[in-house]
Amino acid sequence: MEVIGKSVIRKDALDKVTGRAKYTHDFQSIPMLSGKMVISPYGHAKIVSIDTTDAWEIPGVRAILAGEHFPLTGEAIRDRPPLAVDKVRYHGEAVALVVADTPRIAKKAADLIRIQYELLPVVNSPTQAFQKDATLVHEHLGEYKKEEDSTPVPNSNIANHIKIRKGNMDQGWAKSTTVVEASFSFSPSDHVAMEPRCARAEIKHDGNIIIMTSSQAPFMVKRLIADYFGEEIGKIVVHTPYVGGGYGGKAPVQLEILAYLASKAVGGKPVEILNTREEDLISSPCHIGLDATVRLGADQNGKFHAAEISYWWDGGAYSDKAIDVTRSGAADCTGPYQIEHVWCDSYCMYTNHTYASPYRGFSHSELSFVIERTIDMLAQKLNIDPLEIRDINAIRPGNRTPTRVLLNRSNVGNLPKCIERVKELIRWDKGAILEVNPRFVRVKGVSTSWKTSTIDTDAPSGAILTFNRDGSINLMSGVIEIGTGTKTILAQILAERLKIDLDKIHVKMEVDTQTTPEHWKTVASRGTFMAGRAVLKAADDVIKQLKNIAAIVLRAPVEDLEVADSRVFLRDEPYTGVPFTDICYGYKYPNGESIGGQIIGRGNYILRNLTHMDQETGAGKPGPEWSVAAYAVEVEFDRRDYTYQILQACSVVDLGKVLNEKTALGQVMGAMNMGLAFAGRETFFYDELGRVMNPQLRTYRPLRYGEHPKYLVGFVETPQLDGPYGARGVGELGLMGMPGALGNALSLAAGVNLNNLPLTPELIWKAKGGSQ
Amino acid sequence: MTGQTKGRGTLKSFTISLTINGEEKMVPVMASDTLLFVIRHHLGLTGAKPSCLNGDCGACTVHIDGRPMKSCLMLAVEAAGKKVTTIEGLQGTPIQQAFIEKFAFQCGYCTPGFIMNCQALVEKHPDADDQTIKEWLSSNICRCTSYAEIEEAVKSVLKKK
């Protein structure tokens, strides 16, 4: 391995440290109209009237969209009007849209639109939504167009219900001598990408629709806009430059729809909509919340035999991607443990909250908190060491997942090894509790997680390679550079396969859906796996073409040729060869005659052998492989006021193969940072009207510099045989176990079960009975 | 001076002189324009980023006479006569190189603001201790990295000083 595994400097590094990296809102060469939303101030209310008279008085206002019935949108169920009509279903929902000459004018006019509301009862949690007589968020749920495998229940708030029925529960409970049962709950929160979402659209006279957007899914933007509005798909071109963070939040299609409608309303002129931070938090889709109950049974040796799990996901006002989150949460409902008898109901619930989008981990960090807390409660009851009980039950080759996929050495990582490494890194042998003094105690908590990526069974990825005359190569992939460094990894994969210097590879960072081959969506840790496979195939295609032309020039059969160091040469006589520069644009004989042409490589990949899950039992193969990780967190807890400091956080991840060590470390540590913030402090606070009380970064506080712990990261390398060089996805794993590990540490420290998030001192105080 | 009177209030536009990255520029501004808006929209310098527009995140940090300033919290007219430096004005500094080598960026959106803050810190407090570094850098938010990478980058430059 020449380049694989090396911490090569990222291809986007210089752009990013010099301020030259351009994001959607940075392209300012063409004059743009500005779109401004008017958003709902309430969680649930009837729209009585919308008065735009005063807004129209402002010079420079070009269009106002409100009260119009546009086609319904939404990925799995078409339940979402682009602009609310008749009623609003969440605080932050777009009700009207002003298009004006400048952002200032648009804002001023938007402020002058007068909307009268009549308040409706608010559905403020998924548990409340599930009650028999609950207020309905959607009265006409049965009438929406939907995908076949979505199962909304008309006249209820259930948007989807996924079932897992594995084994025989009676047998499972019979074998269980110890059973624990617990309930869990946490509210929605947010991704808080530093770049607020931004979308612009222009409709040209020939009907071509040009969109630029800060999206993780430009190809989905193209597909859905065509689908929703009956546009010709080939006429839609979506550009995505660098994206300033996504974490799943930029995978849904939302602002693009509004920008398209806005442009349409002004004769196709270009219109830009840039979210304010407040809009980005509450108006665009957020991080899903969850209510859950678990019953887990084990024998006296700590072996799990039965699990009965109910998940009520807080999908918010519209189902969109929450349907798939619900399915994913069911597919991996138990966490990475071998449990023979499993019964799970996973419900996607409508509430009057901001609707949910994917969030790094796609249901797995949320369910991991639930499962890992339950396991600690069980371990305590059985008086078994928390790491030991996890090791006893850790999923292994030969086991079957809740959807009954048979696991082998390739399609699941090595969890026992991850647990073993965590044990060493966190110095578990020194004990979980260390008394500092009567006031302070240092406590460790552990957890594990797993994930398979349940994306579309036919999700594609493609790569194109073109040569420059100097023998260097342009690499085009539909993966978005959202910060993960995947495009640098792809260059490394290409360099390794072609045995070429990495500097000879030029990576196109911007994606446009017309000239870049499709990568389904830059989500689910699938960039390296799928695009990597496509790049390998494209590299092989290039090698074949290079050899074909070199065979003629060198008068040797192709099977005698090798490719390395930017030349093709005879295997047995390496000094006899031809450089890329002589053949990559065709070969020219001394007399001027030429053969060949520019070498253009192509490669594609499509997920294989995935199936839909059975509607009654959940059986099916929802994802290609299960990556695993183990975690620990050490806190110093203040018994006086229940504040705490996170001293150390540890993750050991089986990533198959390290492709770029520092990038991998960055992915894991960055995810841990985000996971600790989700676990310890981030949440939306709702009032009785369903209003988010903290839609700002001074009241909704991510971790800041200096609040970060010491990070301990370890890698295990169990190759996924069909992954590029054996690599597995790595972008989400660091996050997923943090809530569980922190929850377990603090529960032990405080001496009380903490089954809610975020784990604030106030929450601990309440759990200790402080409010009474 | 041009004026436009409509609705409730008057929108007046002035021309002011700004010294940006060592160059003097005449820029048309309105009284209520923030410095961030003007450097991005009138001067085309898009390195400083809009993110919270509320002083909470630091993505728009620039230098005013060598001190870090959130340009979303400062009016453009307040910058007249002062020396403004944006990320575009930093070329090949040790802190930029350290950010590259320590992988102290990922999506890159907070990076210009972070680097401007770090650069001012390095200049003002070459002997900064952990507490001082924390006081300075906690004004910016990075959502991708773990901060440990940024810590390593800034400390590697401080050590060399």
Side-chain angles (χ1 to χ4, degrees), chain A residues 191-195 244-245 247 360 666 669-671 673-674 677 682 697 701-705 707-708 711, chain B residues 51 56-59 99 103-111 113-114 137-151:
Chain A
H191 313 75
V192 194
M194 293 318 293
E195 178 200 25
Y247 327 107
R360 202 172 194 172
M669 286 160 44
N673 175 70
M674 193 175 238
E682 292 184 21
L697 295 184
R701 291 190 75 256
L703 281 178
R704 287 173 184 268
Y705 181 98
E707 293 171 331
H708 60 288
Y711 296 96
Chain B
S51 180
D56 298 331
C57 78
F99 263 65
F103 287 62
F105 69 90
Q106 285 184 29
C107 83
Y109 200 81
C110 76
T111 310
F114 248 111
L137 299 192
S138 61
S139 69
N140 295 51
I141 299 175
C142 171
R143 193 63 164 167
C144 295
T145 74
S146 71
Y147 294 114
E149 303 90 336
I150 294 173
E151 180 176 11

Side-chain angles (χ1 to χ4, degrees), chain A residues 4 46 67 99 119 152 232 294 547 650 666 713:
Chain A
I4 291 296
K46 208 173 133 191
V99 186
L119 294 180
E232 211 178 303
V294 183
K547 282 184 178 173
C650 171
V713 177

Side-chain angles (χ1 to χ4, degrees), chain A residues 12 80 135 137 177 263 292 358 372 503 523 589-590 745:
Chain A
D12 51 351
R80 190 177 85 245
T135 299
V137 179
T177 48
S263 176
E372 296 302 316
D503 292 339
V523 296
Y589 287 96

Side-chain angles (χ1 to χ4, degrees), chain A residues 714-767:
Chain A
F715 293 131
V716 170
E717 294 185 307
T718 308
Q720 177 193 343
L721 296 181
D722 56 334
Y725 297 102
R728 299 175 192 275
V730 70
E732 300 165 287
L733 282 156
L735 189 152
M736 281 154 28
M738 287 297 117
L742 185 64
N744 286 337
L746 289 169
S747 295
L748 187 58
V752 62
N753 284 316
L754 301 169
N755 293 350
N756 303 78
L757 295 173
L759 296 152
T760 58
E762 185 185 338
L763 176 96
I764 301 170
W765 174 70
K766 281 182 181 160

Side-chain angles (χ1 to χ4, degrees), chain A residues 124-143:
Chain A
N124 233 340
S125 79
T127 301
Q128 191 190 340
F130 196 65
Q131 303 306 313
K132 271 214 163 62
D133 53 350
T135 299
L136 293 181
V137 179
H138 291 266
E139 294 84 356
H140 307 293
L141 185 52
E143 294 164 28

Side-chain angles (χ1 to χ4, degrees), chain A residues 23 26 104 194 682 698, chain B residues 33 49 51 54 107 143:
Chain A
Y23 303 79
D26 294 339
R104 187 199 304 263
M194 293 318 293
E682 292 184 21
R698 63 182 61 178
Chain B
D33 281 344
K49 302 297 184 202
S51 180
N54 198 38
C107 83
R143 193 63 164 167

